Coordinates of all heavy atoms in Angstrom, one line a residue:
M1 N 43.3 126.4 132.6 CA 42.6 127.1 133.5 C 41.9 128.4 132.9 O 40.7 128.6 133.2 CB 43.5 127.6 134.6 CG 42.9 128.4 135.7 SD 41.7 127.4 136.5 CE 42.2 127.6 138.1
K2 N 42.6 128.9 131.9 CA 42.0 130.1 131.3 C 40.8 129.6 130.5 O 39.8 130.4 130.4 CB 43.1 130.8 130.4 CG 42.7 132.1 129.9 CD 44.0 132.8 129.4 CE 43.7 134.2 129.1 NZ 44.1 135.2 129.9
T3 N 40.8 128.4 129.9 CA 39.7 128.0 129.1 C 38.5 127.7 130.0 O 37.4 128.0 129.7 CB 40.0 126.6 128.5 OG1 41.2 126.8 127.7 CG2 39.0 126.1 127.6
L4 N 38.8 127.2 131.3 CA 37.7 126.9 132.2 C 37.0 128.1 132.9 O 35.8 128.1 133.0 CB 38.2 125.9 133.2 CG 38.6 124.5 132.8 CD1 39.1 123.8 134.0 CD2 37.3 123.8 132.3
T5 N 37.9 129.0 133.3 CA 37.3 130.1 134.1 C 37.5 131.5 133.5 O 37.0 132.4 134.0 CB 38.1 130.1 135.5 OG1 39.5 130.3 135.3 CG2 37.9 128.8 136.2
G6 N 38.3 131.6 132.5 CA 38.6 132.9 131.8 C 39.8 133.6 132.5 O 40.1 134.7 132.0
R7 N 40.4 133.1 133.5 CA 41.5 133.7 134.1 C 42.5 132.6 134.6 O 42.1 131.4 134.5 CB 41.2 134.6 135.2 CG 40.4 133.9 136.3 CD 39.8 135.0 137.3 NE 39.4 134.3 138.5 CZ 38.3 133.5 138.6 NH1 37.5 133.4 137.6 NH2 38.0 132.9 139.7
F8 N 43.7 132.9 134.9 CA 44.6 132.0 135.2 C 45.3 132.3 136.6 O 45.7 133.3 136.8 CB 45.8 131.9 134.2 CG 46.8 130.9 134.4 CD1 46.5 129.6 134.0 CD2 48.1 131.2 134.9 CE1 47.5 128.6 134.2 CE2 49.0 130.2 135.1 CZ 48.7 128.9 134.8
F9 N 45.2 131.3 137.5 CA 45.9 131.3 138.8 C 46.7 130.1 138.9 O 46.2 129.0 138.6 CB 44.9 131.5 139.9 CG 44.3 132.7 140.0 CD1 43.0 133.0 139.4 CD2 44.9 133.8 140.6 CE1 42.4 134.3 139.5 CE2 44.3 135.1 140.8 CZ 43.0 135.3 140.2
W10 N 48.0 130.2 139.4 CA 48.7 129.0 139.6 C 49.0 128.8 141.1 O 49.3 129.8 141.8 CB 50.1 129.2 138.9 CG 50.9 127.9 139.1 CD1 51.9 127.7 140.0 CD2 50.9 126.8 138.3 NE1 52.4 126.5 139.9 CE2 51.8 125.9 138.8 CE3 50.1 126.4 137.2 CZ2 52.0 124.6 138.3 CZ3 50.3 125.1 136.7 CH2 51.2 124.3 137.2
P11 N 48.9 127.7 141.7 CA 48.3 126.4 141.1 C 46.8 126.3 141.4 O 46.1 125.4 140.9 CB 49.1 125.4 141.8 CG 49.2 125.9 143.2 CD 49.5 127.4 142.9
K12 N 46.2 127.1 142.3 CA 44.9 126.9 142.7 C 44.0 128.1 142.6 O 44.4 129.2 143.0 CB 44.8 126.4 144.1 CG 43.5 125.9 144.6 CD 43.6 125.3 146.0 CE 42.3 124.6 146.3 NZ 42.4 123.8 147.6
D13 N 42.9 128.1 141.9 CA 42.0 129.2 141.7 C 41.4 129.6 143.0 O 40.8 128.7 143.6 CB 41.0 128.9 140.6 CG 40.2 130.1 140.3 OD1 39.1 130.2 140.9 OD2 40.5 130.9 139.4
P14 N 41.4 130.8 143.5 CA 40.8 131.1 144.8 C 39.3 131.1 144.8 O 38.7 131.0 145.8 CB 41.4 132.6 145.1 CG 41.7 133.1 143.7 CD 42.1 132.0 142.8
K15 N 38.7 131.2 143.6 CA 37.2 131.3 143.6 C 36.6 129.9 143.4 O 35.7 129.5 144.1 CB 36.8 132.3 142.6 CG 35.2 132.4 142.5 CD 34.8 133.5 141.5 CE 33.3 133.6 141.4 NZ 32.9 134.6 140.3
Y16 N 37.1 129.2 142.4 CA 36.5 128.0 142.0 C 37.3 126.7 142.6 O 36.8 125.6 142.5 CB 36.5 127.8 140.5 CG 35.6 128.8 139.8 CD1 36.1 129.9 139.1 CD2 34.2 128.7 140.0 CE1 35.3 130.7 138.4 CE2 33.4 129.7 139.4 CZ 34.0 130.6 138.6 OH 33.2 131.6 138.0
F17 N 38.4 126.9 143.2 CA 39.3 125.9 143.8 C 39.7 124.8 142.8 O 39.8 123.7 143.2 CB 38.5 125.3 145.0 CG 38.2 126.3 146.0 CD1 36.9 126.7 146.2 CD2 39.2 126.9 146.8 CE1 36.5 127.6 147.2 CE2 38.9 127.8 147.8 CZ 37.5 128.2 148.0
F18 N 39.9 125.2 141.5 CA 40.5 124.2 140.6 C 42.0 124.2 140.9 O 42.5 125.2 141.1 CB 40.2 124.8 139.1 CG 38.9 124.5 138.7 CD1 38.1 125.6 138.2 CD2 38.3 123.2 138.5 CE1 36.8 125.4 137.7 CE2 37.0 123.1 138.1 CZ 36.3 124.1 137.7
T19 N 42.6 123.1 140.8 CA 44.0 122.9 140.8 C 44.5 122.4 139.5 O 44.0 121.5 139.0 CB 44.4 122.0 141.9 OG1 43.9 122.5 143.1 CG2 45.9 121.9 142.0
I20 N 45.5 123.2 138.9 CA 46.0 122.7 137.6 C 47.4 122.2 138.0 O 48.2 122.7 138.7 CB 46.3 124.0 136.7 CG1 44.9 124.6 136.4 CG2 47.0 123.6 135.4 CD1 43.9 123.8 135.7
S21 N 47.7 121.0 137.4 CA 49.0 120.3 137.7 C 49.6 120.0 136.3 O 48.9 119.9 135.3 CB 48.8 119.1 138.6 OG 48.0 118.2 137.9
T22 N 50.9 119.7 136.2 CA 51.6 119.4 135.1 C 52.2 118.0 135.3 O 52.7 117.7 136.4 CB 52.6 120.4 134.6 OG1 53.6 120.6 135.7 CG2 52.0 121.7 134.4
F23 N 52.4 117.2 134.2 CA 53.0 116.0 134.2 C 53.8 115.8 132.9 O 53.2 115.7 131.8 CB 51.9 114.9 134.4 CG 52.5 113.5 134.4 CD1 53.1 113.0 135.4 CD2 52.4 112.6 133.3 CE1 53.6 111.7 135.5 CE2 52.9 111.3 133.3 CZ 53.5 110.9 134.5
Y24 N 55.1 115.9 133.0 CA 55.9 116.0 131.7 C 55.5 117.0 130.8 O 55.2 116.8 129.6 CB 55.9 114.6 131.1 CG 56.6 113.5 131.9 CD1 56.0 112.5 132.4 CD2 58.0 113.6 132.2 CE1 56.6 111.6 133.2 CE2 58.6 112.7 132.9 CZ 58.0 111.6 133.5 OH 58.5 110.6 134.2
D25 N 55.3 118.3 131.3 CA 54.8 119.4 130.5 C 53.4 119.2 129.9 O 53.1 119.8 128.8 CB 55.8 119.8 129.5 CG 57.1 120.3 130.1 OD1 57.0 120.8 131.2 OD2 58.2 120.1 129.5
F26 N 52.6 118.3 130.4 CA 51.3 118.0 129.9 C 50.4 118.6 130.9 O 50.2 118.1 132.0 CB 51.0 116.6 129.7 CG 49.6 116.2 129.4 CD1 49.1 116.5 128.1 CD2 48.8 115.5 130.2 CE1 47.9 116.1 127.7 CE2 47.5 115.2 129.9 CZ 47.0 115.5 128.6
I27 N 49.6 119.7 130.6 CA 48.8 120.3 131.5 C 47.5 119.6 131.7 O 46.8 119.3 130.7 CB 48.5 121.8 131.1 CG1 49.8 122.6 131.1 CG2 47.5 122.4 132.0 CD1 49.7 124.0 130.6
R28 N 47.2 119.3 132.9 CA 45.8 118.5 133.2 C 44.9 119.4 133.8 O 45.2 120.2 134.7 CB 46.2 117.3 134.1 CG 47.2 116.4 133.6 CD 47.5 115.3 134.5 NE 47.9 115.7 135.8 CZ 48.4 114.9 136.7 NH1 48.4 113.7 136.6 NH2 48.9 115.4 137.9
S29 N 43.7 119.2 133.3 CA 42.5 120.0 133.9 C 42.1 119.2 135.2 O 42.5 118.1 135.4 CB 41.4 120.1 133.0 OG 40.9 118.9 132.6
P30 N 41.2 119.8 136.0 CA 40.8 119.1 137.2 C 40.0 117.8 136.9 O 39.3 117.8 135.9 CB 40.0 120.2 137.9 CG 40.4 121.4 137.3 CD 40.8 121.2 136.0
G31 N 40.2 116.8 137.8 CA 39.4 115.6 137.6 C 38.0 115.8 137.9 O 37.5 116.8 138.6
L32 N 37.1 114.9 137.5 CA 35.8 115.0 137.7 C 35.3 114.8 139.2 O 34.3 115.3 139.7 CB 35.0 113.9 136.9 CG 35.1 114.1 135.4 CD1 34.5 112.9 134.7 CD2 34.5 115.4 135.0
V33 N 36.2 114.0 139.9 CA 35.8 113.8 141.4 C 36.9 114.4 142.3 O 37.1 114.0 143.4 CB 35.7 112.3 141.7 CG1 34.5 111.7 140.9 CG2 37.1 111.5 141.3
G34 N 37.5 115.5 141.8 CA 38.6 116.1 142.7 C 39.9 116.1 142.0 O 40.0 116.2 140.8
Q35 N 41.0 115.9 142.8 CA 42.3 115.8 142.2 C 42.5 114.5 141.4 O 41.8 113.6 141.6 CB 43.3 115.9 143.3 CG 43.2 117.1 144.2 CD 43.4 118.4 143.3 OE1 44.2 118.4 142.4 NE2 42.7 119.4 143.7
F36 N 43.5 114.5 140.6 CA 43.8 113.3 139.8 C 44.2 112.1 140.6 O 43.8 111.0 140.2 CB 44.9 113.6 138.8 CG 44.3 114.1 137.4 CD1 43.9 115.5 137.3 CD2 44.1 113.2 136.4 CE1 43.4 115.9 136.1 CE2 43.6 113.7 135.2 CZ 43.2 115.0 135.1
A37 N 44.8 112.3 141.7 CA 45.2 111.1 142.6 C 43.9 110.6 143.1 O 43.7 109.3 143.2 CB 46.1 111.6 143.7
D38 N 42.9 111.4 143.5 CA 41.6 110.9 144.0 C 40.9 110.1 142.8 O 40.4 109.1 143.1 CB 40.7 112.0 144.4 CG 41.3 112.8 145.6 OD1 42.1 112.2 146.3 OD2 40.9 113.9 145.8
L39 N 41.0 110.6 141.6 CA 40.3 110.0 140.5 C 41.0 108.6 140.3 O 40.3 107.6 140.0 CB 40.4 110.8 139.3 CG 39.8 110.3 138.0 CD1 38.2 110.2 138.1 CD2 40.2 111.2 136.8
G40 N 42.3 108.6 140.4 CA 43.0 107.3 140.1 C 42.8 106.3 141.2 O 42.6 105.1 140.8
L41 N 42.7 106.7 142.4 CA 42.4 105.8 143.5 C 41.0 105.3 143.5 O 40.7 104.2 143.8 CB 42.7 106.5 144.8 CG 44.2 106.7 145.2 CD1 44.3 107.4 146.4 CD2 44.9 105.3 145.2
F42 N 40.1 106.1 143.0 CA 38.7 105.7 142.8 C 38.6 104.6 141.8 O 37.9 103.6 141.8 CB 37.9 106.9 142.4 CG 36.4 106.5 142.0 CD1 35.5 106.1 142.9 CD2 36.1 106.5 140.7 CE1 34.2 105.8 142.6 CE2 34.8 106.2 140.3 CZ 33.9 105.8 141.2
A43 N 39.4 104.8 140.7 CA 39.4 103.9 139.5 C 40.0 102.5 140.0 O 39.6 101.4 139.6 CB 40.2 104.4 138.4
V44 N 41.1 102.6 140.8 CA 41.8 101.4 141.3 C 40.8 100.6 142.2 O 40.6 99.4 142.1 CB 43.1 101.7 142.1 CG1 43.6 100.5 142.8 CG2 44.1 102.2 141.2
L45 N 40.1 101.3 143.1 CA 39.2 100.7 143.9 C 38.0 100.1 143.1 O 37.6 98.9 143.4 CB 38.6 101.7 144.9 CG 37.5 101.2 145.9 CD1 38.0 100.2 146.8 CD2 36.9 102.3 146.6
S46 N 37.6 100.7 142.1 CA 36.6 100.2 141.2 C 37.0 98.9 140.4 O 36.3 98.0 140.4 CB 36.1 101.2 140.2 OG 35.6 102.4 140.8
F47 N 38.3 99.0 140.0 CA 38.8 97.8 139.4 C 38.9 96.6 140.3 O 38.5 95.5 139.9 CB 40.2 98.1 138.9 CG 40.9 97.0 138.2 CD1 40.6 96.4 137.0 CD2 42.0 96.4 138.9 CE1 41.1 95.4 136.4 CE2 42.6 95.2 138.3 CZ 42.3 94.8 137.0
F48 N 39.3 96.8 141.5 CA 39.4 95.7 142.5 C 38.0 95.2 142.8 O 37.8 93.9 143.0 CB 40.2 96.0 143.7 CG 41.7 96.2 143.5 CD1 42.3 97.2 144.2 CD2 42.3 95.3 142.7 CE1 43.7 97.4 144.0 CE2 43.7 95.4 142.5 CZ 44.4 96.5 143.1
I49 N 37.0 96.1 143.0 CA 35.7 95.6 143.2 C 35.1 94.7 142.0 O 34.5 93.8 142.2 CB 34.8 96.8 143.5 CG1 35.1 97.4 144.9 CG2 33.2 96.4 143.5 CD1 34.4 98.7 145.2
F50 N 35.4 95.2 140.7 CA 35.0 94.5 139.6 C 35.6 93.2 139.5 O 35.0 92.2 139.0 CB 35.2 95.3 138.3 CG 34.3 96.5 138.3 CD1 34.8 97.7 137.6 CD2 33.0 96.5 138.7 CE1 34.0 98.8 137.5 CE2 32.2 97.6 138.5 CZ 32.7 98.8 138.0
L51 N 36.9 93.1 139.9 CA 37.6 91.8 140.0 C 36.9 90.8 140.9 O 36.7 89.7 140.6 CB 39.0 92.0 140.3 CG 40.1 92.3 139.3 CD1 41.4 92.5 139.9 CD2 40.0 91.4 138.1
R52 N 36.6 91.3 142.1 CA 36.0 90.4 143.1 C 34.6 90.0 142.7 O 34.1 88.9 143.1 CB 36.0 91.2 144.4 CG 35.6 90.4 145.6 CD 35.9 91.2 146.9 NE 35.5 90.4 148.0 CZ 36.3 89.6 148.7 NH1 37.6 89.6 148.4 NH2 35.9 88.9 149.7
Q53 N 33.8 90.9 142.1 CA 32.4 90.6 141.7 C 32.3 89.8 140.4 O 31.2 89.6 140.0 CB 31.6 91.9 141.6 CG 31.5 92.7 142.9 CD 30.8 92.0 143.9 OE1 29.8 91.3 143.6 NE2 31.2 92.2 145.1
K54 N 33.4 89.5 139.8 CA 33.4 88.7 138.4 C 32.6 89.5 137.5 O 31.7 89.0 136.8 CB 32.8 87.4 138.6 CG 33.5 86.5 139.6 CD 34.9 86.1 139.2 CE 35.4 85.1 140.2 NZ 36.8 85.2 140.3
A55 N 32.8 90.9 137.4 CA 32.2 91.7 136.4 C 32.6 91.5 135.0 O 33.6 90.8 134.8 CB 32.3 93.2 136.8
S56 N 31.9 92.1 134.1 CA 32.2 92.1 132.7 C 33.6 92.6 132.4 O 34.1 93.5 133.1 CB 31.1 92.8 131.9 OG 31.5 92.9 130.6
K57 N 34.2 92.2 131.3 CA 35.6 92.7 131.0 C 35.5 94.2 130.6 O 36.4 94.9 130.7 CB 36.1 91.9 129.8 CG 36.5 90.5 130.1 CD 37.1 89.8 128.9 CE 37.5 88.4 129.3 NZ 38.2 87.7 128.2
I58 N 34.3 94.6 130.1 CA 34.1 96.0 129.7 C 34.2 96.9 130.9 O 34.9 97.9 130.9 CB 32.8 96.2 129.1 CG1 32.7 95.4 127.7 CG2 32.4 97.7 128.9 CD1 31.4 95.5 127.1
Y59 N 33.7 96.5 132.1 CA 33.8 97.2 133.3 C 35.2 97.3 133.8 O 35.7 98.4 134.2 CB 32.9 96.8 134.4 CG 31.4 96.9 134.1 CD1 30.6 95.8 134.2 CD2 30.9 98.1 133.7 CE1 29.2 95.9 133.8 CE2 29.6 98.2 133.4 CZ 28.7 97.2 133.5 OH 27.4 97.3 133.2
K60 N 35.9 96.2 133.8 CA 37.3 96.1 134.3 C 38.2 96.9 133.3 O 39.1 97.7 133.8 CB 37.8 94.6 134.2 CG 37.2 93.8 135.3 CD 37.8 92.4 135.2 CE 36.6 91.4 135.5 NZ 37.2 90.0 135.2
G61 N 37.9 96.9 132.0 CA 38.7 97.7 131.1 C 38.5 99.2 131.2 O 39.4 99.9 131.1
A62 N 37.3 99.5 131.5 CA 36.9 100.9 131.7 C 37.6 101.5 133.0 O 38.2 102.6 133.0 CB 35.4 101.2 131.9
A63 N 37.7 100.6 134.0 CA 38.4 101.0 135.3 C 39.9 101.2 135.0 O 40.5 102.2 135.5 CB 38.1 100.1 136.4
L64 N 40.4 100.3 134.3 CA 41.9 100.4 134.0 C 42.2 101.5 133.1 O 43.2 102.2 133.3 CB 42.3 99.1 133.3 CG 42.6 97.9 134.2 CD1 43.0 96.6 133.4 CD2 43.7 98.3 135.2
L65 N 41.3 101.9 132.2 CA 41.5 103.0 131.3 C 41.4 104.3 132.1 O 42.3 105.2 131.9 CB 40.4 103.0 130.2 CG 40.6 104.2 129.2 CD1 41.8 104.1 128.4 CD2 39.3 104.2 128.3
L66 N 40.6 104.3 133.1 CA 40.5 105.5 133.9 C 41.7 105.6 134.8 O 42.2 106.8 135.0 CB 39.3 105.4 134.8 CG 38.9 106.6 135.6 CD1 38.7 107.8 134.7 CD2 37.7 106.4 136.4
V67 N 42.3 104.5 135.2 CA 43.6 104.5 136.0 C 44.7 105.1 135.1 O 45.4 106.0 135.6 CB 44.0 103.2 136.5 CG1 45.3 103.2 137.1 CG2 43.0 102.7 137.6
I68 N 44.8 104.7 133.9 CA 45.8 105.1 133.0 C 45.6 106.6 132.7 O 46.6 107.3 132.6 CB 45.7 104.3 131.7 CG1 46.3 102.8 132.0 CG2 46.6 104.9 130.6 CD1 46.0 101.8 130.9
L69 N 44.4 107.0 132.4 CA 44.2 108.4 132.0 C 44.3 109.4 133.2 O 44.4 110.6 133.0 CB 42.7 108.6 131.5 CG 42.5 107.9 130.1 CD1 41.1 108.1 129.7 CD2 43.5 108.6 129.0
A70 N 44.3 108.8 134.5 CA 44.5 109.7 135.6 C 45.9 110.2 135.7 O 46.2 111.3 136.3 CB 44.2 108.9 136.9
L71 N 46.9 109.6 135.1 CA 48.3 110.0 135.0 C 48.9 110.3 136.4 O 49.5 111.3 136.7 CB 48.5 111.3 134.2 CG 48.2 111.1 132.7 CD1 48.2 112.4 132.0 CD2 49.1 110.1 132.1
S72 N 48.5 109.4 137.4 CA 49.0 109.6 138.8 C 49.7 108.3 139.3 O 49.1 107.2 139.2 CB 47.8 109.9 139.6 OG 48.1 109.9 141.0
R73 N 50.9 108.5 139.7 CA 51.6 107.3 140.2 C 50.9 106.7 141.5 O 51.1 105.6 141.9 CB 53.0 107.6 140.4 CG 53.3 108.5 141.6 CD 54.8 108.7 141.8 NE 55.0 109.8 142.7 CZ 55.5 110.9 142.3 NH1 55.9 111.1 141.1 NH2 55.6 111.9 143.2
T74 N 50.1 107.5 142.1 CA 49.3 107.1 143.3 C 48.4 106.0 142.9 O 48.1 105.1 143.6 CB 48.5 108.3 143.9 OG1 49.5 109.3 144.2 CG2 47.9 107.8 145.2
A75 N 47.9 106.1 141.7 CA 47.0 105.1 141.2 C 47.7 103.9 140.6 O 47.3 102.8 140.6 CB 46.1 105.6 140.1
Y76 N 49.0 104.1 140.1 CA 49.7 103.1 139.4 C 50.4 102.1 140.4 O 50.5 100.9 140.2 CB 50.9 103.6 138.6 CG 50.3 104.5 137.4 CD1 51.2 105.4 136.9 CD2 49.2 104.3 136.8 CE1 50.8 106.3 135.9 CE2 48.7 105.0 135.7 CZ 49.6 106.0 135.3 OH 49.2 106.8 134.2
V77 N 50.8 102.6 141.6 CA 51.5 101.8 142.6 C 50.6 100.6 143.0 O 51.1 99.5 143.1 CB 51.9 102.7 143.7 CG1 52.4 101.8 144.9 CG2 53.0 103.6 143.3
P78 N 49.3 100.7 143.4 CA 48.5 99.6 143.9 C 48.4 98.5 142.8 O 48.4 97.3 143.0 CB 47.1 100.1 144.2 CG 47.4 101.6 144.6 CD 48.6 102.0 143.7
L79 N 48.3 99.0 141.5 CA 48.2 98.0 140.4 C 49.5 97.2 140.2 O 49.5 96.0 140.0 CB 47.8 98.7 139.1 CG 46.3 99.1 139.0 CD1 46.0 99.8 137.7 CD2 45.4 97.9 139.2
V80 N 50.6 98.0 140.3 CA 51.9 97.2 140.2 C 52.1 96.3 141.3 O 52.5 95.2 141.1 CB 53.0 98.3 140.2 CG1 54.4 97.6 140.2 CG2 52.9 99.1 138.9
I81 N 51.7 96.6 142.5 CA 51.9 95.7 143.7 C 51.0 94.6 143.5 O 51.3 93.4 143.7 CB 51.6 96.4 145.0 CG1 52.7 97.4 145.3 CG2 51.4 95.5 146.1 CD1 52.4 98.3 146.5
Y82 N 49.8 94.8 143.0 CA 48.8 93.6 142.7 C 49.4 92.7 141.6 O 49.3 91.5 141.8 CB 47.4 94.2 142.3 CG 46.5 93.1 141.8 CD1 45.9 92.4 142.7 CD2 46.3 92.9 140.5 CE1 45.0 91.4 142.3 CE2 45.4 92.0 140.1 CZ 44.7 91.2 141.0 OH 43.8 90.2 140.6
L83 N 50.0 93.2 140.5 CA 50.5 92.4 139.4 C 51.7 91.6 139.9 O 52.0 90.6 139.4 CB 50.8 93.3 138.3 CG 49.6 93.9 137.6 CD1 50.0 94.8 136.5 CD2 48.7 92.8 137.0
L84 N 52.6 92.3 140.8 CA 53.7 91.5 141.3 C 53.4 90.4 142.2 O 53.9 89.4 142.3 CB 54.7 92.5 142.0 CG 55.3 93.5 141.1 CD1 56.2 94.4 141.9 CD2 56.2 92.9 140.0

């Protein structure tokens, strides 16, 4: 947060509305499309759309990589259910 705005507020900056979260002591900056759960769900939705449209493996791989990088179990659960 200090790198992004020059000051530190936990957990939500009152001016810029950034939210900083931790996952196993790994500090995550805000996602490009909002919170990390939102980013992960967007990636899961993209992956399912790419599966249905018979898209290139590159697009499917990029969507899966985005799910993994989101570090959110909200994004992992639909993929685990799909795989089971």
Side-chain angles (χ1 to χ4, degrees):
M1 181 61 123
K2 197 163 183 109
T3 305
L4 292 172
T5 63
R7 57 190 196 286
F8 183 79
F9 289 96
W10 182 265
K12 192 170 188 176
D13 185 271
K15 183 176 179 183
Y16 296 110
F17 301 108
F18 285 122
T19 300
I20 301 299
S21 61
T22 59
F23 180 75
Y24 293 114
D25 294 329
F26 175 69
I27 297 176
R28 300 182 298 189
S29 62
L32 296 175
V33 293
Q35 301 300 325
F36 268 81
D38 298 337
L39 179 67
L41 289 175
F42 172 76
V44 168
L45 178 65
S46 300
F47 176 72
F48 288 141
I49 289 172
F50 290 147
L51 277 179
R52 190 170 179 95
Q53 298 293 327
K54 306 289 187 207
S56 169
K57 288 183 180 180
I58 294 174
Y59 293 127
K60 291 182 219 174
L64 279 177
L65 181 64
L66 190 58
V67 170
I68 292 168
L69 292 177
L71 296 173
S72 172
R73 67 175 169 252
T74 307
Y76 297 152
V77 169
L79 284 180
V80 169
I81 290 172
Y82 173 75
L83 293 174
L84 292 176

